Amino acid sequence: MKYCNLCGSTVRFEIPAGDNRPRHICNECGEIHYLNPKVVAGCLPVYEDKILLCKRSIEPRVGYWTLPAGFMENGESTRQAAARETLEEANARVSDLQLYTLTSIVPVSQIQLIYLAQLDDLNFSAGDETTDVQLFSEETIPWDELAFQTIRNALRFYFEDRQKGVFPLHHVDLHTPPGQFVEKS
Amino acid sequence: MKYCNLCGSTVRFEIPAGDNRPRHICNECGEIHYLNPKVVAGCLPVYEDKILLCKRSIEPRVGYWTLPAGFMENGESTRQAAARETLEEANARVSDLQLYTLTSIVPVSQIQLIYLAQLDDLNFSAGDETTDVQLFSEETIPWDELAFQTIRNALRFYFEDRQKGVFPLHHVDLHTPPGQFVEKS
Ligand SMILES: [Zn+2]
Ligand SMILES: [Zn+2]
């Protein structure tokens, strides 16, 4: 950030009075500009014994498989954001959303919320940012072609929990750069 | 937002190609500026049968009681944010943080996370944004002097759950303006 988005003047980077960390402060109007973590919301859509995954058409990780998820917008709830992303990326409708993973990805200042959800029907298709959408059983999940560590975690949690029949919230903090490249299984 | 914070030029407000809602787009460098919800994290600190509350020294709701909470910063996890706010506002140390309420406050584009936590010791005192810090039992909670609806909800959930001995996640979406003024009990 180099300029104030309210008045267009230059900003300086220093600790405001009464604060304890540096901020971008406008040299003209004095506005303090805060930078805050962004929230990513998505779904783990279940249909019978299968999970819906999307093949990414955009960077990062183009061509790899992921759960439908994306940045939350102003003016919606976390559940609405998760369902909206599922509709946009997979043209898929979901119900019974239950918070399943909450991951702080500290190095990139993101929080990712994944909701366990029931896929309503089989009328899904590739949508925004997606070239293919498919249902995968535990045996066919493309573990070596998953886009992100958080997605791999959510799927692992799910198949473990399914054996026990309970799906508690998984609360994970990632403090080291997770990389976008999952290890080979 | 009137100016691009990267180059200082004016921005227009329109739907970018491939998007479905209007954004602030720089007329000079083309940067698309997204606005996203902010995350508030805090604690419900428990000591024996009592809860720690802070009396606010700042607007909104100066003079009313609240749980220690505040905006999450870049470069920290949600749990670290909750513990940091508790330290800053109440000079209090907490342990065993467990996610207890997740509230989407849709009209103001905020998500609030409150962690149930054990207060480590009685060495607390008024810190930033606070004029007083006290422990309250269920009988002495100042229900008519609580700052926010979300705080009132968290305390109500807690005293109800305590009778059952289980403290599940409470996931609440507030779609109508909650107001900052709780009704009288
Ligand atoms: Zn300014
Ligand atoms: Zn620009």
Side-chain angles (χ1 to χ4, degrees):
Chain A
M1 183 182 303
K2 289 184 173 176
Y3 299 91
C4 175
N5 60 22
L6 296 182
C7 78
S9 301
T10 55
V11 296
R12 63 187 187 277
F13 190 63
E14 63 177 44
I15 301 177
D19 203 338
N20 54 24
R21 62 186 73 198
R23 314 283 182 184
H24 295 91
I25 308 171
C26 179
N27 289 316
E28 198 60 41
C29 76
E31 180 77 10
I32 302 170
H33 298 279
Y34 296 91
L35 297 175
N36 301 100
K38 293 192 193 310
V39 177
V40 171
C43 283
L44 193 162
V46 178
Y47 191 87
E48 295 175 351
D49 69 333
K50 296 189 175 64
I51 305 296
L52 181 142
L53 296 178
C54 299
K55 195 170 195 175
R56 291 173 63 83
S57 69
I58 58 163
E59 293 292 351
R61 300 293 277 165
V62 60
Y64 285 74
W65 293 89
T66 190
L67 293 169
F71 288 109
M72 192 179 171
E73 303 274 5
N74 278 356
E76 65 184 359
S77 71
T78 54
R79 276 186 281 228
Q80 288 175 323
R84 176 184 52 73
E85 290 288 343
T86 305
L87 184 61
E88 289 178 358
E89 298 187 353
N91 293 306
R93 282 143 295 275
V94 287
S95 307
D96 299 333
L97 278 67
Q98 171 200 327
L99 186 61
Y100 188 52
T101 69
L102 190 161
T103 309
S104 291
I105 314 174
V106 176
V108 294
S109 295
Q110 284 183 16
I111 303 171
Q112 189 190 78
L113 306 176
I114 297 291
Y115 286 82
L116 196 55
Q118 296 304 310
L119 180 63
D120 288 349
D121 56 59
L122 297 176
N123 298 319
F124 55 78
S125 60
D128 298 347
E129 310 179 358
T130 301
T131 56
D132 193 7
V133 182
Q134 287 187 35
L135 289 173
F136 293 91
S137 67
E138 183 171 5
E139 292 69 33
T140 60
I141 292 275
W143 293 105
D144 289 350
E145 295 166 44
L146 295 177
F148 305 108
Q149 182 177 346
T150 51
I151 302 303
R152 187 188 183 89
N153 285 349
L155 292 170
R156 281 183 164 168
F157 292 144
Y158 178 74
F159 292 119
E160 286 173 19
D161 289 344
R162 193 171 67 176
Q163 295 192 343
K164 303 172 210 152
V166 289
F167 301 91
L169 173 66
H170 295 270
H171 194 305
V172 178
D173 295 344
L174 297 177
H175 285 283
T176 51
Q180 285 153 348
F181 305 93
V182 296
E183 318 93 88
K184 298 269 174 180
S185 60
Chain B
M1 184 183 300
K2 290 184 174 177
Y3 299 91
C4 174
N5 60 24
L6 297 181
C7 78
S9 300
T10 55
V11 295
R12 63 187 187 276
F13 190 62
E14 64 177 44
I15 301 177
D19 203 339
N20 54 22
R21 62 185 72 200
R23 315 283 182 184
H24 295 91
I25 308 172
C26 179
N27 289 316
E28 199 59 42
C29 75
E31 180 78 10
I32 302 170
H33 298 279
Y34 297 90
L35 297 175
N36 302 99
K38 293 193 195 306
V39 177
V40 170
C43 284
L44 193 162
V46 177
Y47 191 87
E48 295 174 352
D49 69 332
K50 295 189 175 67
I51 305 295
L52 180 142
L53 295 178
C54 299
K55 194 171 197 175
R56 291 174 64 83
S57 69
I58 58 164
E59 291 296 348
R61 300 293 278 164
V62 60
Y64 285 74
W65 293 89
T66 191
L67 294 169
F71 288 108
M72 191 179 172
E73 302 275 4
N74 278 355
E76 64 183 1
S77 70
T78 54
R79 276 186 281 228
Q80 287 175 324
R84 176 183 53 73
E85 290 288 344
T86 306
L87 184 61
E88 288 178 359
E89 298 186 354
N91 293 307
R93 282 143 296 275
V94 286
S95 308
D96 299 333
L97 278 66
Q98 171 200 329
L99 186 60
Y100 188 53
T101 70
L102 189 160
T103 308
S104 290
I105 313 172
V106 176
V108 293
S109 295
Q110 284 182 15
I111 303 171
Q112 190 191 77
L113 307 176
I114 297 290
Y115 286 82
L116 196 56
Q118 296 304 311
L119 179 63
D120 288 350
D121 56 61
L122 297 176
N123 298 319
F124 54 78
S125 60
D128 298 347
E129 309 178 358
T130 302
T131 57
D132 195 7
V133 182
Q134 286 187 35
L135 289 173
F136 294 90
S137 67
E138 184 171 5
E139 292 70 33
T140 60
I141 291 276
W143 294 105
D144 290 349
E145 295 166 44
L146 296 178
F148 305 109
Q149 182 176 347
T150 52
I151 302 304
R152 186 188 184 88
N153 285 348
L155 291 170
R156 281 182 164 167
F157 293 143
Y158 178 75
F159 292 119
E160 285 171 22
D161 289 343
R162 193 170 68 176
Q163 294 190 346
K164 306 171 209 151
V166 288
F167 300 91
L169 174 66
H170 295 270
H171 194 305
V172 177
D173 294 345
L174 298 176
H175 287 282
T176 51
Q180 285 152 350
F181 306 93
V182 295
E183 317 93 90
K184 298 270 174 180
S185 59

